[in-house]
Amino acid sequence: MKIIAARLIVCSPDRNFVTLKIETDEGIYGLGDGTLNGRELAVASYLSEHILPCLIGRDPFQTEDIWQYLYRGAYWRRGPVTMAAIGAVDVALWDIKGKALNTPVYNLLGGKSRNGVLVYTHANGRDIPEALDSVRKHMDEGYLAVRAQSGVPGVASSYGVPKAGKPYEPAERCLPSESLWSTEKYLNFVPTLFEKLRVELGPDVHLLHDVHHRLTPIEAGRLGKALEPYHLFWMEDPTPAELQEGFEVIRRHTTTPIAVGEVFNSIWDAHDLVRHQWIDYLRMAIVHGGGITPLKKTADFAALYHVRTGFHGATDLSPVTMAAALHLGLAVHNFGIQEHMPHSALTDEVFPHNYTFDAGYMYPGSAPGLGVDIDEKLAAKYPYQRAYLPIARKLDGTLTDW
Ligand code: CS2
Ligand code: MG
């Protein structure tokens, strides 16, 4: 089998997506996702200018060699743009391989290690009563694990809280908006949120929380300790993770489990975090980490240190990445949980897929390959629109991590 064409479909059905379609001489094609929120065209250009011409004529079964060719062969390594581009190719090749062998991708990764993939979804509210209602609503829908975010009194536009009545979606089709941030108000408030949730909801539901990189390690240690009585499933991105040893400080102070990695793009970003057991869950997105090939290796490495997976699953990753995460999550032994932030109805229409949700778990389906397609005619009706993530400033105007 040979690759005869590779092209990009950049569309915006409610939000931007970069999709790669690789076609073969046997009529089988595969899809990959190259979406990098707010930087979509950088990945599209990397793919069309630098990668796609090199794919023509190659054997799509050679996922390992093609991955090494794109990673080592470029000389310039890593970084979100490069790795998202490589990830799009890698995932499309696994899709082709599954279709050619007439089997779902999880069977090529070790087969099913479990019946279904435990997922968590997002609950949020402008205040504690609204956040509580939102968690309850998702529990009624069948979710066994829910991430809870709430507006913080005195802090305008907190992370994870939607604008009036809309589903939460941080990218905006305008220049970056600015929000204000106060660590002091946040740290005083969050334990009261989880105290209320536990009192009202009981011990069984898995509760998660995303700090979104906003604390220093010692502040994160304080928060983790304060949250211990409410036994969170995890506290996510407590501090920016460039300094991996920062997590040693957090670990020294709390037993609240830690999840990190949605902005990582290489096993090397997590190497110390994993081997020192400073974290519990690794959240790299399949696309931004360079695809299924390196993520399988990363998961196997993490397994040696009791670190489990919690792959990123926000709506800025397309249904193609969602499917890839479900296939890999079903197969690896050290699966932890999968984020599920459902896409809009329009996005789901553009990307028809086989994966399903039932009673707290998701299932990738048994279609050959990944089980996701793209309706190109419909996609063409929604052209790319420039969009940015917001930025955050402290109350005194200092730019801080959003
Ligand atoms: C978030 C993301 O899903 C998450 O945990 O942190 O929504 C993140 O803000 C976006 O992916 C940014 O593009
Ligand atoms: Mg997050």
Side-chain angles (χ1 to χ4, degrees):
M1 192 186 281
K2 277 193 169 35
I3 296 171
I4 55 165
R7 60 195 169 79
L8 291 173
I9 303 144
V10 182
C11 63
S12 197
D14 291 333
R15 66 160 349 283
N16 291 324
F17 294 110
V18 175
T19 307
L20 172 64
K21 187 167 187 174
I22 298 184
E23 294 170 68
T24 66
D25 58 349
E26 294 185 18
I28 292 171
Y29 63 85
L31 295 182
D33 172 29
T35 309
L36 183 62
N37 206 3
R39 295 293 185 268
E40 296 86 358
L41 297 190
V43 182
S45 164
Y46 192 108
L47 277 161
S48 57
E49 271 306 302
H50 308 296
I51 288 188
L52 302 189
C54 306
L55 296 179
I56 309 304
R58 289 183 187 279
D59 175 357
F61 267 62
Q62 294 181 347
T63 41
E64 181 66 34
D65 184 66
I66 291 176
W67 195 90
Q68 299 295 345
Y69 177 87
L70 296 175
Y71 181 79
R72 289 173 205 280
Y75 187 61
W76 310 108
R77 297 176 187 190
R78 304 170 58 181
V81 174
T82 299
M83 298 309 283
I86 298 176
V89 175
D90 184 74
V91 169
L93 297 182
W94 280 99
D95 192 22
I96 290 173
K97 210 187 277 210
K99 287 174 177 169
L101 296 171
N102 197 29
T103 193
V105 167
Y106 61 76
N107 274 340
L108 307 175
L109 303 171
K112 286 188 192 183
S113 285
R114 54 195 53 77
N115 300 324
V117 174
L118 177 70
V119 294
Y120 74 92
T121 196
H122 292 192
N124 39 47
R126 280 169 298 182
D127 52 22
I128 294 180
E130 266 194 26
L132 175 60
D133 282 353
S134 175
V135 178
R136 278 211 175 101
K137 177 177 148 272
H138 293 305
M139 289 170 68
D140 290 346
E141 289 163 355
Y143 286 98
L144 305 170
V146 184
R147 184 188 97 163
Q149 309 291 136
S150 164
V152 177
V155 178
S157 64
S158 305
Y159 164 77
V161 179
K163 304 234 164 66
K166 294 185 182 162
Y168 177 66
E169 164 57 67
E172 294 173 310
R173 291 165 172 174
C174 57
L175 292 177
S177 64
E178 300 198 4
S179 55
L180 286 180
W181 174 250
S182 162
T183 294
E184 295 73 20
K185 292 184 198 305
Y186 172 79
L187 280 177
N188 289 334
F189 170 75
V190 176
T192 67
L193 166 67
F194 282 93
E195 182 185 18
K196 181 72 177 171
L197 294 180
R198 271 296 168 227
V199 167
E200 296 293 330
L201 303 170
D204 291 338
V205 61
H206 295 305
L207 294 173
L208 300 80
H209 182 67
D210 192 346
V211 182
H212 222 259
H213 327 268
R214 295 197 178 184
L215 301 176
T216 64
I218 198 67
E219 289 165 349
R222 172 182 151 194
L223 180 61
K225 197 188 266 184
L227 292 174
E228 278 168 24
Y230 318 117
H231 49 96
L232 266 57
F233 187 95
W234 78 33
M235 172 168 83
E236 175 182 339
D237 285 334
T239 195
E242 286 96 333
L243 182 72
Q244 295 187 39
E245 57 263 46
F247 285 77
E248 187 196 0
V249 177
I250 303 174
R251 223 17 162 201
R252 234 185 276 144
H253 293 283
T254 180
T255 56
T256 294
I258 307 291
V260 185
E262 66 181 42
V263 300
F264 291 175
N265 44 70
S266 161
I267 193 169
W268 299 108
D269 293 330
H271 182 230
D272 289 339
L273 292 174
V274 170
R275 75 192 175 95
H276 293 300
Q277 301 176 63
W278 290 331
I279 62 169
D280 302 279
Y281 298 91
L282 191 55
R283 281 186 43 70
M284 201 144 59
I286 309 292
V287 43
H288 303 148
I292 291 171
T293 298
L295 261 297
K296 171 75 167 77
K297 296 177 193 180
T298 303
D300 290 342
F301 166 67
L304 303 178
Y305 298 91
H306 303 288
V307 175
R308 291 187 278 165
T309 66
F311 299 129
H312 194 199
T315 36
D316 44 277
L317 309 163
S318 92
V320 177
T321 290
M322 188 66 203
L326 293 175
H327 283 270
L328 189 53
L330 199 65
V332 293
H333 180 253
N334 58 327
F335 168 78
I337 200 166
Q338 171 63 45
E339 182 177 21
H340 178 223
M341 195 180 166
H343 288 105
S344 75
L346 180 60
T347 298
D348 281 343
E349 219 185 311
V350 168
F351 295 93
H353 52 258
N354 281 275
Y355 58 76
T356 50
F357 169 84
D358 182 41
Y361 292 84
M362 286 183 77
Y363 303 87
S366 53
L370 292 170
V372 183
D373 213 335
I374 185 164
D375 181 337
E376 292 192 56
K377 273 202 186 129
L378 189 58
K381 288 191 187 157
Y382 302 96
Y384 165 81
Q385 296 196 28
R386 184 185 294 138
Y388 290 94
L389 288 169
I391 62 148
R393 290 187 187 276
K394 295 184 186 175
L395 299 182
D396 70 356
T398 309
L399 196 103
T400 188
D401 296 282
W402 171 72

